[in-house]
Amino acid sequence: MKLLKEVEDMVFDTQNVYGEEMEVSEPIVMASAAGWYVGAVCKGEYGIEPFDRYSEYHETSELAQKILASELFDPEWYHPSSKIVPDTIST
């Protein structure tokens, strides 16, 4: 897992996840073997772990950053199958 933002610079929020309190980050640009995406990490038992993915995968971090910076981005409703794609977002 790659993170575009340093963990020390992330804002974490305590969330109730299936009855367990977890520290979950703000939406950030991150990468897995599948590509770059907008997602969140959590402070798990063994350190920082992936928590959720809010966008589709992209070839570059710049494309994922464009999604995150968009005024249309909202992690509450954004889903990888949504119709918002980087080519339709102006910067």
Side-chain angles (χ1 to χ4, degrees):
M1 169 179 69
K2 293 181 185 178
L3 306 173
L4 204 58
K5 191 172 191 176
E6 295 293 327
V7 174
E8 300 80 30
D9 296 332
M10 292 179 199
V11 175
F12 285 84
D13 204 17
T14 302
Q15 295 183 18
N16 185 316
V17 181
Y18 301 110
E20 182 181 341
E21 296 288 314
M22 296 185 75
E23 295 277 328
V24 179
S25 76
E26 64 189 307
I28 59 170
V29 174
M30 49 198 292
S32 70
W36 289 93
Y37 62 96
V38 178
V41 294
C42 66
K43 293 180 179 177
E45 185 176 344
Y46 302 105
I48 298 298
E49 303 172 359
F51 178 75
D52 204 352
R53 180 169 62 94
Y54 305 130
S55 74
E56 63 278 355
Y57 293 109
H58 301 285
E59 290 184 21
T60 67
S61 61
E62 290 80 11
L63 291 172
Q65 183 64 42
K66 197 171 182 181
I67 292 286
L68 180 60
S70 167
E71 63 186 39
L72 300 175
F73 176 76
D74 180 353
E76 295 297 319
W77 60 261
Y78 195 84
H79 188 271
S81 64
S82 73
K83 301 299 180 201
I84 298 175
V85 294
D87 293 343
T88 64
I89 297 173
S90 60
T91 54

